Amino acid sequence: MTGEDPGPLIRLYGLTGGRARPQGESFDLMAIVVTAGDSPQSGDLLPEHRAVLSLCRRPTPVADVAAHLRLPINITRVILGDLRRDGLVSIERPRPVAQTIDERIYREVLDGLRSL
């Protein structure tokens, strides 16, 4: 034994149960996480789970969740996968950019170009 504190590694292992990948459908860094309904009793969840539920009351990208938790992305994905499995969050793929711009904006740009 070297006397070094292996605390962080053991803590991360405990958060994920030793898993390196989330259960269920995979999701990328830009996927959007949103809390789904009421959260259970706060005593039933780990602090990291409570932090995710609090942060994701508004749509939040997976990358931002990882940054907020200050955890590696793989650990964050496992936590999010567990919360999704329990029905506490939903994780949606981001819409393609072409679908996010309203047709009205295109018309305004076109009208502006025509006026030049």
Side-chain angles (χ1 to χ4, degrees), residues 47-63:
E48 291 79 8
H49 293 155
R50 289 192 303 267
V52 169
L53 294 176
S54 176
L55 177 66
C56 295
R57 288 185 182 134
R58 292 183 179 204
T60 308
V62 171

Side-chain angles (χ1 to χ4, degrees), residues 34-112:
V34 179
T35 303
D38 296 331
S39 60
Q41 301 277 337
S42 61
D44 297 341
L45 299 172
L46 295 172
E48 291 79 8
H49 293 155
R50 289 192 303 267
V52 169
L53 294 176
S54 176
L55 177 66
C56 295
R57 288 185 182 134
R58 292 183 179 204
T60 308
V62 171
D64 290 355
V65 174
H68 178 78
L69 294 176
R70 295 183 179 169
L71 290 174
I73 191 65
N74 286 345
I75 303 299
T76 302
R77 284 182 172 150
V78 171
I79 291 170
L80 292 173
D82 291 348
L83 290 171
R84 176 178 60 187
R85 179 198 64 218
D86 294 340
L88 299 175
V89 298
S90 65
I91 303 172
E92 303 293 330
R93 291 185 177 138
R95 288 187 285 166
V97 174
Q99 293 179 1
T100 60
I101 299 177
D102 189 342
E103 183 180 338
R104 179 184 52 83
I105 294 173
Y106 285 126
R107 290 190 187 282
E108 289 177 9
V109 169
L110 185 58
D111 292 342

